[in-house]
Amino acid sequence: MKHRMLYLLLASAMILSLALSGCGGKKSAGPLTFVLVPKNLGNPYFDTANNGAQEAAKELGVTVTYQGPAAADATQQIQLINSLIAQKVSGLAISADDADALVPVGKDAIKAGIPVVSFDSAIGKEGRVLHINQAELQGIGAIQIKMALELTGADGGKIAILSATSTAPNQNAWIAVMKEELKKPEYAKLELVDVVYGDDDDTKSYNEAQALFKKYPDLKVIIAPTTVGIAASARAVTDAGLIGKVFVTGLGTPNQMREYVKNGASPQFALWNPGDLGYLSIYVLNALATGQIKGVAGEKFTAGRLGEYTIKEDADLGVNVLLGEPFVYNAANIDQFNW
Amino acid sequence: MSAQPTPTSRSYRIKAIARFREAGISLFILILGVLVALRAPAFLTLKNFEDILLNISILSIVALAQAMVLITHGIDLSVSSMIGLVAMMVAFVMKQAPGFSVVAAVLLGMALGAVLGALNGTIISYGKVPPIIATLGALSIYRGMVFFYSGGTWINSFELPKSFKLLSKGTPLGLPNMVIIAILFAAVVYFFLNYTRTGRDIYAVGSNPEAAQMAGIRRQRIVFLVYLLSGIASGLAGVLWASRFESAQTNTALGFELQTVAAAVVGGVSTSGGAGTVPGVLLGALLLGLIENALPLVRISPFWQLAAQGLLILIAVVTDSLISRSAKGK
Amino acid sequence: MTLLPSPDIESSSKSLLNATAPRRTFLARFQRWEWMLVGLIIVVVALNSALSPYFLDAQNLSRTSSDFMEMGLMMLPMVFIIVTGGIDLSVASNLGMCASFMGWLFMAGVNIWVAALAALALGALAGFLNGTLVARMKLPPLVVTLGTYAFYRGVAYVLLGDQAARDYPEAFTYIGQGKLFGTLIPFSVALFGVLAILFGLVLHKTTFGRYLFAIGNNENASVYSGVPVARIKVIIFTISGFMAALAGLVLAARFGSTRPDIGNGLELSVITAAVLGGVDINGGAGTMTGAVLSLFLIGLLRFGMGLLNIQGQVQGIVIGLLLILSILLPNIARTFSGKGRKLRRQSVWAMVAFVVVLAAFVAFFFWSRAAVLIQ
């Protein structure tokens, strides 16, 4: 019996040492392959980003694949990225589920010669070459508070924030800005009563919104800086018959929110064009991968139809590229968009 | 004519335990309710009660099916994946054919669930794979199938027809449809378990498999049946889920299976088989729903909610097990 | 207890006979299982190296191996627990709670190593609680660990909330990210290897290990033969808690940060790995070698599938199938061999009906999805 165990272990060891000493895979020559990694698959916001990315891919003659975890979970994202590093892809554009947890794997990729950029939701500074920011953090946070005040009217009232996951870097950054904004005198009448997390999961967001109405019967506005959360909250408001008493605003996609703009649950909300964000990300990756830029503040490059961009650097986001400004959607313009 | 089981001392004691447990849980619920109402008057509104009922409708349906599985000394961990898969498939159909009859959609969902449940049942009763392993594997397989089926896309609210959404939320009869469906389902299961031969056979198989076999009960068929029923219930729950939340995502109902086991166990269903009642399970689901509803009302920070829920479940199951243990004289 | 002869006695005597049967039968069965695992590993390696040039890459294998070590660390005591006929559903939540505890202490200024030790202590305590409830209060392990599964995860959220513990010193992150110097072997793999050997020796070479098998085979008989069953159960659950905390340290070190949802869902993977490794879910049988081999198998499978860009959840289909088939196929083989039983006509019709229904389902599956996805 003793011998058999030993035999077994030896056999396994032999097999594995054979494996480990095997030849490494070589980087395939040919067109560059970039991967767009969203926070999770299925979210229409990221699907639109991918459309933009594919448009850029066609213009540049590169291949872009779209792969992500099934849930907004950092562990799954890390496993996926490990697998992509193993496949020696040409570049990664990631919307991070967790700013800190992705730093080690981002560093790994960079060390392996794969340029890493984050878009939409930033990886910690050492884990990526640069971040592609959709709009100034300040601007995104400020516009949501501004819209909230417009919805409550001059008398102000209680507001609550329904965010994505508690680890999401972008939402957390915007919430921090919002809290700062609320200290300004013009927002003195707004009172932030709670911050809850819907995990970018429709069911959870819906339940959290419901809990908010019950906990705070005189709640006036729910700010949801996430496209999943805002849609779920608006639906919760509609189902509970609270249209006109509770308003929902934040960041949403036109197709998901059209019904609620028209029925009054969410008269206005903001976003930018995620397609452009995806488009820009691929141009940046391409520029990095082909050596046109090194990812240092001050460098300039052209991103197809979006024009010329300059890389900047600031305290919160480190090295980054700014896409543009947030855009406010309301009944007047909602029908012009189809995504 | 179905004869009532001749009262041996054991079955009397079991019935007494069951009633005692139900009384215990009811008392616990009452006390909890009073405490919460004192702290947060918003709890005692009709609207709030309706919300609680809505929230536990789906849980009740699946917990009842899980209870039947548990009574046979089995377990079905795959219910959440079955719900997710059926929700996705039915949502796809509704998106593509908005005119598809809602009733047909429900039947379709139950049929799909039945197939999945039958697979489980076959593997467990005929393939003799232990239930925990078979359903653990099925949990992964069916969940993977959701992704494989949808390619990762979600079905969003604006892609589903209004009629489908009204399936769960419409109130043509005063109460939301979903609540009525759950009540009907509970009534059917109650009748099935207490007044039909097959229903009582389920208890027999769970409490004493060898004796049941010797008494002529087709054990394999009964075991197959409970997993089939579990699949049907999950299918129904899947359709209702998609209707209520107006969406189907890749991780719809992820993790839900443990809630169904918790509801059943808190409601007095024994994990070693042979014991459990419909009212008990409903009370268990109610308690869980109550906790989930009450905690935000009582202003407990969201981060304490999970711990509080877990602690209450722990207390409930520990108390429950202790009561049954002492009553059975072990 | 009634005076009527209850089947409990019959099944006890049966298992008593089993327990005293020559050990050869267990070993014979499980050596077959281990060889099956080795065979599967060879097949997986061969198939994947043919399908992807990146599979047999030392760097890649080294990097992917650390993805599975936390699972492995928790699997070692899980084997003990399952062998005794129990189960521990709370391991991943315990991992989360201890990692969060360490993070919380660290962010409050406590030295990282002190915080780590405190986390290990907490893990052991949590395991001790599980063990006490199971052994002293005689509650079913499934139910107890279901409750602590929710409770411990909740405590993790209470400790960290929406904050992250971050910026761990490099000396600490070495545990999760570092390699043994000079080689490509990650520290966590080495740690696991050493502990696996230790746990294996305990299971197969000590009295304690033999007691575990005895308890799993026939708890009553063990009690009557003087085995300190309750104490042993408390011990193995405490160890499970400790190892969950250790896994938490490794995972936190690998991420370089901690959030309360860390390790979410790992418990089912741990149990899958143990069962696939040949550990009998009803207790009384299993080998550590098998469990470790199954960990390798799952790791290599997932790595290979990842390289082929098979999405994580879809990978679960393969793992789930493997789990079920590993038990189902031998069962089927056993039924049809040996006595050469003929199938009843009823059974044949049932099988045909089943296959037809299944085919209809599959057809509907592919048809309904294609129609929408093509749009």
Side-chain angles (χ1 to χ4, degrees), chain B residues 142-173:
Chain B
Y142 297 156
R143 182 60 65 185
M145 278 165 70
V146 180
F147 187 90
F148 181 67
Y149 182 81
S150 66
T153 52
W154 298 346
I155 301 290
N156 295 295
S157 169
F158 65 91
E159 297 168 289
L160 292 169
K162 186 110 194 180
S163 56
F164 184 69
K165 301 175 194 177
L166 284 176
L167 164 66
S168 57
K169 293 186 264 206
T171 56
L173 297 171

mmCIF file of all heavy atoms in Angstrom, chain B residues 142-173:
data_model
loop_
_atom_site.group_PDB
_atom_site.id
_atom_site.type_symbol
_atom_site.label_atom_id
_atom_site.label_comp_id
_atom_site.label_asym_id
_atom_site.label_seq_id
_atom_site.Cartn_x
_atom_site.Cartn_y
_atom_site.Cartn_z
ATOM 1 N N TYR B 142 -26.870 23.955 -14.663
ATOM 2 C CA TYR B 142 -27.987 24.776 -15.110
ATOM 3 C C TYR B 142 -27.610 26.252 -15.134
ATOM 4 O O TYR B 142 -28.038 27.017 -16.004
ATOM 5 C CB TYR B 142 -29.218 24.559 -14.220
ATOM 6 C CG TYR B 142 -29.762 23.150 -14.260
ATOM 7 C CD1 TYR B 142 -30.518 22.651 -13.211
ATOM 8 C CD2 TYR B 142 -29.524 22.309 -15.336
ATOM 9 C CE1 TYR B 142 -31.029 21.371 -13.232
ATOM 10 C CE2 TYR B 142 -30.024 21.021 -15.368
ATOM 11 C CZ TYR B 142 -30.779 20.549 -14.307
ATOM 12 O OH TYR B 142 -31.277 19.279 -14.333
ATOM 13 N N ARG B 143 -26.803 26.694 -14.162
ATOM 14 C CA ARG B 143 -26.377 28.089 -14.148
ATOM 15 C C ARG B 143 -25.520 28.386 -15.375
ATOM 16 O O ARG B 143 -25.649 29.422 -15.995
ATOM 17 C CB ARG B 143 -25.623 28.390 -12.846
ATOM 18 C CG ARG B 143 -25.161 29.812 -12.668
ATOM 19 C CD ARG B 143 -26.258 30.844 -12.672
ATOM 20 N NE ARG B 143 -27.184 30.760 -11.565
ATOM 21 C CZ ARG B 143 -28.276 31.516 -11.424
ATOM 22 N NH1 ARG B 143 -28.572 32.401 -12.358
ATOM 23 N NH2 ARG B 143 -29.053 31.383 -10.381
ATOM 24 N N GLY B 144 -24.638 27.468 -15.700
ATOM 25 C CA GLY B 144 -23.821 27.653 -16.897
ATOM 26 C C GLY B 144 -24.684 27.710 -18.144
ATOM 27 O O GLY B 144 -24.410 28.465 -19.072
ATOM 28 N N MET B 145 -25.762 26.913 -18.126
ATOM 29 C CA MET B 145 -26.645 26.903 -19.283
ATOM 30 C C MET B 145 -27.327 28.251 -19.472
ATOM 31 O O MET B 145 -27.641 28.638 -20.606
ATOM 32 C CB MET B 145 -27.696 25.794 -19.136
ATOM 33 C CG MET B 145 -27.167 24.436 -19.553
ATOM 34 S SD MET B 145 -28.199 23.066 -19.013
ATOM 35 C CE MET B 145 -29.637 23.269 -20.039
ATOM 36 N N VAL B 146 -27.544 28.968 -18.378
ATOM 37 C CA VAL B 146 -28.158 30.288 -18.520
ATOM 38 C C VAL B 146 -27.259 31.176 -19.369
ATOM 39 O O VAL B 146 -27.710 31.860 -20.285
ATOM 40 C CB VAL B 146 -28.383 30.972 -17.149
ATOM 41 C CG1 VAL B 146 -29.015 32.322 -17.332
ATOM 42 C CG2 VAL B 146 -29.245 30.111 -16.254
ATOM 43 N N PHE B 147 -25.966 31.145 -19.055
ATOM 44 C CA PHE B 147 -25.041 31.973 -19.815
ATOM 45 C C PHE B 147 -24.936 31.482 -21.246
ATOM 46 O O PHE B 147 -24.931 32.269 -22.183
ATOM 47 C CB PHE B 147 -23.661 31.972 -19.164
ATOM 48 C CG PHE B 147 -22.732 32.936 -19.818
ATOM 49 C CD1 PHE B 147 -22.649 34.243 -19.376
ATOM 50 C CD2 PHE B 147 -21.971 32.557 -20.915
ATOM 51 C CE1 PHE B 147 -21.810 35.147 -20.002
ATOM 52 C CE2 PHE B 147 -21.133 33.466 -21.546
ATOM 53 C CZ PHE B 147 -21.060 34.763 -21.081
ATOM 54 N N PHE B 148 -24.842 30.163 -21.382
ATOM 55 C CA PHE B 148 -24.713 29.579 -22.707
ATOM 56 C C PHE B 148 -25.924 29.951 -23.564
ATOM 57 O O PHE B 148 -25.803 30.274 -24.741
ATOM 58 C CB PHE B 148 -24.591 28.059 -22.566
ATOM 59 C CG PHE B 148 -24.417 27.342 -23.865
ATOM 60 C CD1 PHE B 148 -23.260 27.498 -24.613
ATOM 61 C CD2 PHE B 148 -25.398 26.503 -24.345
ATOM 62 C CE1 PHE B 148 -23.097 26.833 -25.816
ATOM 63 C CE2 PHE B 148 -25.237 25.832 -25.547
ATOM 64 C CZ PHE B 148 -24.088 25.996 -26.278
ATOM 65 N N TYR B 149 -27.068 29.923 -22.941
ATOM 66 C CA TYR B 149 -28.298 30.235 -23.659
ATOM 67 C C TYR B 149 -28.335 31.684 -24.098
ATOM 68 O O TYR B 149 -28.627 32.008 -25.235
ATOM 69 C CB TYR B 149 -29.495 29.936 -22.739
ATOM 70 C CG TYR B 149 -30.846 30.171 -23.352
ATOM 71 C CD1 TYR B 149 -31.416 29.207 -24.180
ATOM 72 C CD2 TYR B 149 -31.564 31.328 -23.103
ATOM 73 C CE1 TYR B 149 -32.660 29.402 -24.732
ATOM 74 C CE2 TYR B 149 -32.804 31.525 -23.661
ATOM 75 C CZ TYR B 149 -33.349 30.561 -24.468
ATOM 76 O OH TYR B 149 -34.595 30.763 -25.010
ATOM 77 N N SER B 150 -28.037 32.594 -23.167
ATOM 78 C CA SER B 150 -28.258 33.996 -23.467
ATOM 79 C C SER B 150 -27.032 34.669 -24.063
ATOM 80 O O SER B 150 -27.117 35.791 -24.531
ATOM 81 C CB SER B 150 -28.634 34.730 -22.175
ATOM 82 O OG SER B 150 -27.525 34.711 -21.299
ATOM 83 N N GLY B 151 -25.881 34.012 -23.984
ATOM 84 C CA GLY B 151 -24.661 34.650 -24.456
ATOM 85 C C GLY B 151 -24.273 35.815 -23.575
ATOM 86 O O GLY B 151 -23.497 36.673 -23.960
ATOM 87 N N GLY B 152 -24.845 35.848 -22.370
ATOM 88 C CA GLY B 152 -24.486 36.927 -21.461
ATOM 89 C C GLY B 152 -25.417 38.120 -21.543
ATOM 90 O O GLY B 152 -25.354 39.014 -20.699
ATOM 91 N N THR B 153 -26.294 38.164 -22.548
ATOM 92 C CA THR B 153 -27.183 39.329 -22.629
ATOM 93 C C THR B 153 -28.277 39.234 -21.571
ATOM 94 O O THR B 153 -28.629 38.151 -21.127
ATOM 95 C CB THR B 153 -27.890 39.421 -23.983
ATOM 96 O OG1 THR B 153 -28.509 38.162 -24.255
ATOM 97 C CG2 THR B 153 -26.929 39.747 -25.092
ATOM 98 N N TRP B 154 -28.784 40.381 -21.200
ATOM 99 C CA TRP B 154 -29.908 40.426 -20.271
ATOM 100 C C TRP B 154 -31.169 40.747 -21.043
ATOM 101 O O TRP B 154 -31.120 41.338 -22.127
ATOM 102 C CB TRP B 154 -29.717 41.524 -19.229
ATOM 103 C CG TRP B 154 -28.542 41.364 -18.357
ATOM 104 C CD1 TRP B 154 -27.772 40.265 -18.178
ATOM 105 C CD2 TRP B 154 -27.985 42.369 -17.526
ATOM 106 N NE1 TRP B 154 -26.765 40.517 -17.285
ATOM 107 C CE2 TRP B 154 -26.889 41.808 -16.866
ATOM 108 C CE3 TRP B 154 -28.309 43.714 -17.271
ATOM 109 C CZ2 TRP B 154 -26.112 42.514 -15.963
ATOM 110 C CZ3 TRP B 154 -27.537 44.419 -16.373
ATOM 111 C CH2 TRP B 154 -26.462 43.824 -15.732
ATOM 112 N N ILE B 155 -32.298 40.409 -20.469
ATOM 113 C CA ILE B 155 -33.556 40.908 -21.012
ATOM 114 C C ILE B 155 -33.984 42.032 -20.067
ATOM 115 O O ILE B 155 -34.058 41.826 -18.848
ATOM 116 C CB ILE B 155 -34.635 39.812 -21.045
ATOM 117 C CG1 ILE B 155 -34.163 38.635 -21.889
ATOM 118 C CG2 ILE B 155 -35.936 40.371 -21.561
ATOM 119 C CD1 ILE B 155 -34.094 38.918 -23.361
ATOM 120 N N ASN B 156 -34.196 43.207 -20.630
ATOM 121 C CA ASN B 156 -34.532 44.348 -19.789
ATOM 122 C C ASN B 156 -36.020 44.640 -19.806
ATOM 123 O O ASN B 156 -36.758 44.152 -20.653
ATOM 124 C CB ASN B 156 -33.775 45.586 -20.271
ATOM 125 C CG ASN B 156 -32.289 45.416 -20.097
ATOM 126 O OD1 ASN B 156 -31.795 45.313 -18.992
ATOM 127 N ND2 ASN B 156 -31.581 45.345 -21.208
ATOM 128 N N SER B 157 -36.410 45.491 -18.886
ATOM 129 C CA SER B 157 -37.822 45.780 -18.707
ATOM 130 C C SER B 157 -38.505 46.256 -19.982
ATOM 131 O O SER B 157 -39.625 45.846 -20.279
ATOM 132 C CB SER B 157 -37.967 46.834 -17.604
ATOM 133 O OG SER B 157 -39.272 47.302 -17.581
ATOM 134 N N PHE B 158 -37.827 47.099 -20.748
ATOM 135 C CA PHE B 158 -38.510 47.672 -21.906
ATOM 136 C C PHE B 158 -38.670 46.659 -23.044
ATOM 137 O O PHE B 158 -39.305 46.940 -24.044
ATOM 138 C CB PHE B 158 -37.797 48.938 -22.398
ATOM 139 C CG PHE B 158 -36.402 48.702 -22.926
ATOM 140 C CD1 PHE B 158 -36.189 48.430 -24.265
ATOM 141 C CD2 PHE B 158 -35.308 48.765 -22.086
ATOM 142 C CE1 PHE B 158 -34.903 48.219 -24.759
ATOM 143 C CE2 PHE B 158 -34.027 48.565 -22.562
ATOM 144 C CZ PHE B 158 -33.823 48.284 -23.906
ATOM 145 N N GLU B 159 -38.075 45.472 -22.864
ATOM 146 C CA GLU B 159 -38.210 44.461 -23.916
ATOM 147 C C GLU B 159 -39.322 43.469 -23.621
ATOM 148 O O GLU B 159 -39.574 42.566 -24.418
ATOM 149 C CB GLU B 159 -36.887 43.699 -24.051
ATOM 150 C CG GLU B 159 -35.731 44.586 -24.480
ATOM 151 C CD GLU B 159 -34.399 43.891 -24.330
ATOM 152 O OE1 GLU B 159 -33.954 43.690 -23.182
ATOM 153 O OE2 GLU B 159 -33.780 43.552 -25.357
ATOM 154 N N LEU B 160 -39.974 43.631 -22.464
ATOM 155 C CA LEU B 160 -41.023 42.677 -22.099
ATOM 156 C C LEU B 160 -42.396 43.322 -22.224
ATOM 157 O O LEU B 160 -42.564 44.497 -21.911
ATOM 158 C CB LEU B 160 -40.811 42.208 -20.650
ATOM 159 C CG LEU B 160 -39.576 41.360 -20.420
ATOM 160 C CD1 LEU B 160 -39.332 41.186 -18.934
ATOM 161 C CD2 LEU B 160 -39.748 39.993 -21.075
ATOM 162 N N PRO B 161 -43.369 42.551 -22.659
ATOM 163 C CA PRO B 161 -44.708 43.121 -22.821
ATOM 164 C C PRO B 161 -45.387 43.388 -21.481
ATOM 165 O O PRO B 161 -45.112 42.715 -20.497
ATOM 166 C CB PRO B 161 -45.469 42.033 -23.592
ATOM 167 C CG PRO B 161 -44.752 40.782 -23.282
ATOM 168 C CD PRO B 161 -43.309 41.140 -23.054
ATOM 169 N N LYS B 162 -46.258 44.384 -21.484
ATOM 170 C CA LYS B 162 -46.940 44.775 -20.255
ATOM 171 C C LYS B 162 -47.737 43.619 -19.656
ATOM 172 O O LYS B 162 -47.785 43.445 -18.442
ATOM 173 C CB LYS B 162 -47.881 45.944 -20.573
ATOM 174 C CG LYS B 162 -48.545 46.532 -19.369
ATOM 175 C CD LYS B 162 -48.022 47.909 -19.062
ATOM 176 C CE LYS B 162 -48.474 48.272 -17.649
ATOM 177 N NZ LYS B 162 -48.137 49.462 -17.115
ATOM 178 N N SER B 163 -48.348 42.828 -20.521
ATOM 179 C CA SER B 163 -49.181 41.730 -20.024
ATOM 180 C C SER B 163 -48.372 40.778 -19.163
ATOM 181 O O SER B 163 -48.854 40.249 -18.171
ATOM 182 C CB SER B 163 -49.803 40.974 -21.202
ATOM 183 O OG SER B 163 -48.772 40.530 -22.069
ATOM 184 N N PHE B 164 -47.133 40.584 -19.567
ATOM 185 C CA PHE B 164 -46.276 39.673 -18.819
ATOM 186 C C PHE B 164 -45.958 40.240 -17.444
ATOM 187 O O PHE B 164 -45.936 39.531 -16.448
ATOM 188 C CB PHE B 164 -44.997 39.418 -19.611
ATOM 189 C CG PHE B 164 -44.080 38.423 -18.979
ATOM 190 C CD1 PHE B 164 -44.440 37.087 -18.913
ATOM 191 C CD2 PHE B 164 -42.865 38.814 -18.456
ATOM 192 C CE1 PHE B 164 -43.602 36.157 -18.333
ATOM 193 C CE2 PHE B 164 -42.014 37.888 -17.887
ATOM 194 C CZ PHE B 164 -42.394 36.551 -17.830
ATOM 195 N N LYS B 165 -45.716 41.542 -17.405
ATOM 196 C CA LYS B 165 -45.391 42.161 -16.125
ATOM 197 C C LYS B 165 -46.585 42.112 -15.182
ATOM 198 O O LYS B 165 -46.432 41.994 -13.977
ATOM 199 C CB LYS B 165 -44.964 43.614 -16.330
ATOM 200 C CG LYS B 165 -43.765 43.765 -17.236
ATOM 201 C CD LYS B 165 -43.455 45.221 -17.492
ATOM 202 C CE LYS B 165 -42.494 45.355 -18.653
ATOM 203 N NZ LYS B 165 -42.215 46.759 -18.971
ATOM 204 N N LEU B 166 -47.788 42.205 -15.745
ATOM 205 C CA LEU B 166 -48.983 42.174 -14.912
ATOM 206 C C LEU B 166 -49.241 40.806 -14.323
ATOM 207 O O LEU B 166 -49.987 40.670 -13.363
ATOM 208 C CB LEU B 166 -50.207 42.612 -15.723
ATOM 209 C CG LEU B 166 -50.297 44.115 -15.969
ATOM 210 C CD1 LEU B 166 -51.487 44.420 -16.849
ATOM 211 C CD2 LEU B 166 -50.417 44.856 -14.648
ATOM 212 N N LEU B 167 -48.611 39.787 -14.889
ATOM 213 C CA LEU B 167 -48.816 38.431 -14.382
ATOM 214 C C LEU B 167 -48.579 38.371 -12.882
ATOM 215 O O LEU B 167 -49.332 37.768 -12.139
ATOM 216 C CB LEU B 167 -47.869 37.464 -15.105
ATOM 217 C CG LEU B 167 -47.675 36.093 -14.455
ATOM 218 C CD1 LEU B 167 -48.981 35.312 -14.512
ATOM 219 C CD2 LEU B 167 -46.581 35.313 -15.149
ATOM 220 N N SER B 168 -47.506 39.008 -12.457
ATOM 221 C CA SER B 168 -47.203 38.922 -11.037
ATOM 222 C C SER B 168 -47.811 40.072 -10.250
ATOM 223 O O SER B 168 -48.197 39.898 -9.109
ATOM 224 C CB SER B 168 -45.696 38.896 -10.818
ATOM 225 O OG SER B 168 -45.118 40.038 -11.397
ATOM 226 N N LYS B 169 -47.874 41.238 -10.893
ATOM 227 C CA LYS B 169 -48.227 42.421 -10.123
ATOM 228 C C LYS B 169 -49.664 42.895 -10.281
ATOM 229 O O LYS B 169 -50.129 43.683 -9.495
ATOM 230 C CB LYS B 169 -47.294 43.572 -10.509
ATOM 231 C CG LYS B 169 -45.862 43.280 -10.077
ATOM 232 C CD LYS B 169 -44.980 44.446 -10.309
ATOM 233 C CE LYS B 169 -44.275 44.283 -11.643
ATOM 234 N NZ LYS B 169 -43.019 45.010 -11.674
ATOM 235 N N GLY B 170 -50.332 42.416 -11.302
ATOM 236 C CA GLY B 170 -51.706 42.869 -11.519
ATOM 237 C C GLY B 170 -52.586 42.474 -10.345
ATOM 238 O O GLY B 170 -52.350 41.456 -9.704
ATOM 239 N N THR B 171 -53.588 43.306 -10.071
ATOM 240 C CA THR B 171 -54.437 42.985 -8.922
ATOM 241 C C THR B 171 -55.909 42.905 -9.313
ATOM 242 O O THR B 171 -56.738 43.596 -8.745
ATOM 243 C CB THR B 171 -54.307 44.049 -7.822
ATOM 244 O OG1 THR B 171 -54.623 45.318 -8.411
ATOM 245 C CG2 THR B 171 -52.922 44.085 -7.248
ATOM 246 N N PRO B 172 -56.231 42.058 -10.284
ATOM 247 C CA PRO B 172 -57.647 41.963 -10.662
ATOM 248 C C PRO B 172 -58.517 41.398 -9.539
ATOM 249 O O PRO B 172 -59.707 41.596 -9.509
ATOM 250 C CB PRO B 172 -57.633 41.027 -11.875
ATOM 251 C CG PRO B 172 -56.386 40.253 -11.738
ATOM 252 C CD PRO B 172 -55.400 41.131 -11.050
ATOM 253 N N LEU B 173 -57.865 40.680 -8.610
ATOM 254 C CA LEU B 173 -58.656 40.085 -7.547
ATOM 255 C C LEU B 173 -58.337 40.712 -6.197
ATOM 256 O O LEU B 173 -58.438 40.073 -5.170
ATOM 257 C CB LEU B 173 -58.378 38.569 -7.477
ATOM 258 C CG LEU B 173 -58.780 37.793 -8.726
ATOM 259 C CD1 LEU B 173 -58.259 36.360 -8.642
ATOM 260 C CD2 LEU B 173 -60.294 37.757 -8.865
#
